[in-house]
Amino acid sequence: MIWEKLKIILSIIIDLFISLCEIPFLIFKTNKTISTPVRFKSQHQHKLDITQIATEIRSITNHNPSVQIVMDRKSGEGHSTRSTAYKDGKYRINISSLNSIIEINQHEEYAEVEALVTFEEVCKATIKYGLLPAVVPEFKSITIGGAIQGLGIESTSWKYGTFDKTVIEATLITGHGNILYASEVPDLWKNLPGSNGTIALIVAARIRLVQATEWIHLRYVFYPDLSNFLNDIEKKISIQTNTGWIGDNQVIDAIHFCGKNQTMNGIVAMYGGCVSSIPRNASIRKETVFSSFFYQHVKSILTKKKMTNDHNETNLYEDYIPTLDYLFRHDRGAFWAAAEVASTDPLIGFIFRRPYLLCLLNYFLKTKTLYKIAMLTSDQKRESTGMIQDVDVLPDRAEEIINWAINKDLNMIWLCPVRCHGTDESFFSVAQPNTPFVMNIGLYGVAKDLPQSNLDLQRLVIKLGGKCGLYAHIYLDREEFWSCYNYKEYIRLREMSGGHVFMDLWDKVAGIVFSKISIKR
């Protein structure tokens, strides 16, 4: 355990060193960094690499049929709020070689990428061709495989749904050690997204690319209450376009400011899309070493503008943002989670209480580094300090979740509509039948009665017929959890594909809670 923490600390120091070295480039706006370059790999080398992984799985399962296999990733890697304690005693398989782009096809508008390629790498490579993935999760270091297994979303999800719906083809390795294409096993593939690596491994994917440009025009619109915002979304969702990222209302999400001690509350929705030109004298927001966090930018817009008392939408502001800056606008500070937990985390608090230090290091506070810092404390302490949960409910149930969050003293809530695709959904999908969209609600910050409030929230979500994001700790017991999903079908798929060699889903997402975190039931 001590050695594991020392490795995390070393990794954090390296991140800090790289961030400090990048500061001069950002100050002088050279558009250069010392970040890891985008890697490319031949199809031949890719096949050799996945064959080696498949062979290892066959070998270990033949030698030990009762083995439990997990991915060998370091603490703080990935975007789960759980520590790696659940991997103790399991066989760790190393897939770190799967970190390259295989092909970008500009004419057919797709990219062939391995599972550990990050969205930052994909977007940097494809924007040169005027293309981007149809859905781009908000953190730079989220991987392609992670976004499929974890149902990644973002502000274009109102059009496309979860990221897995934009996957054209995928390469899988089953628990039997077989390499299969998703199109060869449609029944398995349909229900694989959202299973968090407990049915089969995803080692590569062919993902859809859509038209984009290097700038996004964003409008900030104020709504005094949720109903007006939902009405507007329903109108916009009914109008479909085939222009990818280009045009008005191609991106939709919102921040609900709801703090009891805040002088100005309400919803600020952000609508926009890529543009080919920028008007003269337009407001431009570029990421610099001294930039405020994005939520602070939105909050300042809200507080500086005079609100009307009527119930119509109010246009607050508009600006133009480099597309890559927009895509990962919440990466620094992890939305507002870092600022919220600064009052309880000694290291983050030390930085936030010193304005000049914060100014110097805020570029360092990237999500991948914040996850590493978080892993230096126990699961019990993290879960008792702050809440990080995403839930998905029907639009007419969203207000109940928001009211619950306000009563728990959360100051800000993220709102992101996610399109539903009828019956063509995984049984882990957040989508629901007979509705055009569900509302993803992100609850991040210091809340009352933690960690107990996590269980209360998850039980409320079940009561409302919704789903909980499985990247977070799950507090539901086994019976409560599987009441949300088709357990018999899950077992059938695992048996069919040899998935029993991977961890059971409940054991993976809830095991730490039941072994290390104390709450009342």
Side-chain angles (χ1 to χ4, degrees):
M1 180 64 70
I2 294 176
W3 174 240
E4 190 70 26
K5 288 192 175 183
L6 287 174
K7 289 193 290 185
I8 296 173
I9 291 170
L10 178 60
S11 180
I12 292 170
I13 292 171
I14 292 171
D15 286 347
L16 175 58
F17 176 75
I18 292 173
S19 294
L20 292 174
C21 289
E22 287 183 335
I23 287 176
F25 298 113
L26 290 165
I27 291 175
F28 295 107
K29 301 179 181 179
T30 63
N31 294 321
K32 295 181 181 179
T33 68
I34 57 174
S35 301
T36 303
V38 178
R39 293 169 291 264
F40 288 84
K41 179 185 292 184
S42 69
Q43 187 69 248
H44 174 71
Q45 183 60 51
H46 167 68
K47 288 181 179 179
L48 289 176
D49 289 342
I50 64 173
T51 299
Q52 183 178 1
I53 294 168
T55 300
E56 183 179 355
I57 290 177
R58 283 198 302 273
S59 175
I60 188 62
T61 54
N62 288 337
H63 177 72
N64 181 8
S66 62
V67 71
Q68 289 274 276
I69 296 174
V70 295
M71 284 199 298
D72 185 17
R73 302 196 74 188
K74 300 173 185 175
S75 292
E77 288 187 340
H79 289 78
S80 168
T81 59
R82 300 181 291 274
S83 70
T84 58
Y86 70 90
K87 297 184 179 183
D88 293 346
K90 311 294 191 299
Y91 182 86
R92 300 192 180 205
I93 190 162
N94 188 338
I95 67 166
S96 60
S97 61
L98 304 181
N99 60 359
S100 301
I101 296 173
I102 301 166
E103 179 190 5
I104 297 173
N105 192 311
Q106 182 180 1
H107 303 293
E108 297 188 32
E109 298 186 347
Y110 69 78
E112 192 93 28
V113 295
E114 293 183 312
L116 294 187
V117 175
T118 68
F119 276 89
E120 179 183 29
E121 292 166 338
V122 173
C123 292
K124 281 183 176 179
T126 60
I127 194 67
K128 299 174 183 177
Y129 302 101
L131 298 169
L132 284 174
V135 175
V136 179
E138 64 281 348
F139 298 152
K140 293 179 178 181
S141 51
I142 291 177
T143 63
I144 296 296
I148 298 172
Q149 293 278 20
L151 302 176
I153 64 162
E154 238 293 330
S155 58
T156 55
S157 287
W158 76 270
K159 286 180 67 176
Y160 301 109
T162 49
F163 174 71
D164 58 284
K165 292 303 177 185
T166 71
V167 175
I168 302 167
E169 180 65 282
T171 308
L172 318 175
I173 299 180
T174 69
H176 295 307
N178 298 324
I179 299 173
L180 301 171
Y181 290 112
S183 56
E184 297 175 323
V185 282
D187 185 35
L188 179 67
W189 168 247
K190 176 183 176 181
N191 292 299
L192 188 62
S195 63
N196 282 259
T198 65
I199 294 177
L201 298 182
I202 297 170
V203 292
R206 177 175 291 187
I207 62 172
R208 178 183 176 188
L209 302 177
V210 296
Q211 296 292 319
T213 68
E214 294 188 348
W215 286 88
I216 275 186
H217 172 220
L218 211 57
R219 293 187 300 116
Y220 303 79
V221 179
F222 174 78
Y223 298 91
D225 56 50
L226 182 66
S227 61
N228 291 90
F229 174 55
L230 293 176
N231 289 338
D232 250 19
I233 291 177
E234 288 180 3
K235 294 175 186 176
K236 290 175 171 60
I237 282 180
S238 65
I239 303 172
Q240 276 289 343
T241 62
N242 295 314
T243 56
W245 286 81
I246 299 173
D248 291 334
N249 302 327
Q250 303 305 308
V251 300
I252 299 176
D253 73 325
I255 299 175
H256 192 327
F257 294 93
C258 53
K260 291 180 179 179
N261 297 321
Q262 293 176 176
T263 57
M264 184 67 72
N265 281 325
I267 295 171
V268 178
M270 287 144 282
Y271 303 109
C274 286
V275 293
S276 56
S277 61
I278 302 174
R280 289 184 62 186
N281 301 320
S283 297
I284 292 176
R285 175 182 166 85
K286 275 190 174 183
E287 184 96 346
T288 73
V289 68
F290 304 116
S291 295
S292 58
F293 297 121
F294 187 77
Y295 83 89
Q296 293 173 326
H297 173 60
V298 178
K299 188 174 182 179
S300 69
I301 291 170
L302 174 62
T303 55
K304 288 177 182 177
K305 299 293 179 177
K306 183 178 180 181
M307 297 296 99
T308 60
N309 293 321
D310 61 32
H311 293 282
N312 298 318
E313 66 175 72
T314 303
N315 287 295
L316 299 178
Y317 189 69
E318 59 183 278
D319 55 18
Y320 292 78
I321 306 174
T323 300
L324 293 180
D325 285 0
Y326 169 81
L327 296 178
F328 306 115
R329 63 202 180 281
H330 292 300
D331 189 71
R332 279 189 313 109
F335 284 87
W336 42 86
E340 287 287 292
V341 302
S343 60
T344 55
D345 185 283
L347 178 57
I348 302 298
F350 180 82
I351 295 172
F352 271 80
R353 286 191 296 272
R354 290 158 177 81
Y356 293 106
L357 189 59
L358 178 60
C359 184
L360 179 65
L361 295 181
N362 79 351
Y363 188 68
F364 160 74
L365 296 174
K366 301 173 184 177
T367 298
K368 72 172 185 177
T369 307
L370 291 169
Y371 271 101
K372 294 173 187 176
I373 293 173
M375 293 302 148
L376 293 174
T377 60
S378 67
D379 289 278
Q380 173 78 45
K381 183 175 181 180
R382 284 198 312 278
E383 292 294 287
S384 301
T385 298
M387 171 176 282
I388 299 182
Q389 297 277 345
D390 276 80
V391 304
D392 298 87
V393 295
L394 292 169
D396 60 2
R397 298 301 181 93
E399 191 159 10
E400 293 180 65
I401 299 293
I402 290 171
N403 288 338
W404 180 92
I406 292 172
N407 289 332
K408 292 295 179 180
D409 291 345
L410 287 174
N411 294 316
M412 287 166 279
I413 300 168
W414 188 49
L415 302 173
C416 184
V418 181
R419 177 173 288 277
C420 300
H421 289 268
T423 57
D424 185 26
E425 297 284 359
S426 158
F427 51 70
F428 293 111
S429 173
V430 300
Q432 298 195 30
N434 305 316
T435 182
F437 70 98
V438 294
M439 183 60 71
N440 176 271
I441 303 174
L443 303 109
Y444 323 126
V446 178
K448 289 193 301 187
D449 308 320
L450 288 172
Q452 185 70 38
S453 290
N454 289 297
L455 174 60
D456 298 340
L457 170 66
Q458 291 176 4
R459 284 179 170 167
L460 174 60
V461 171
I462 290 179
K463 179 182 176 182
L464 299 178
K467 299 283 182 66
C468 303
L470 301 185
Y471 71 85
H473 281 287
I474 294 300
Y475 286 74
L476 305 169
D477 64 32
R478 195 181 295 269
E479 183 177 350
E480 289 174 311
F481 176 77
W482 284 114
S483 70
C484 303
Y485 307 107
N486 188 335
Y487 183 64
K488 288 184 178 180
E489 181 67 5
Y490 174 71
I491 294 299
R492 183 187 73 81
L493 291 173
R494 275 165 61 91
E495 290 176 349
M496 178 182 77
S497 62
H500 58 276
V501 305
F502 305 115
M503 284 191 71
D504 170 81
L505 182 58
W506 183 86
D507 288 337
K508 184 173 184 177
V509 300
I512 292 177
V513 167
F514 281 78
S515 63
K516 295 181 180 293
I517 298 177
S518 301
I519 57 170
K520 295 179 181 179
R521 294 196 170 271

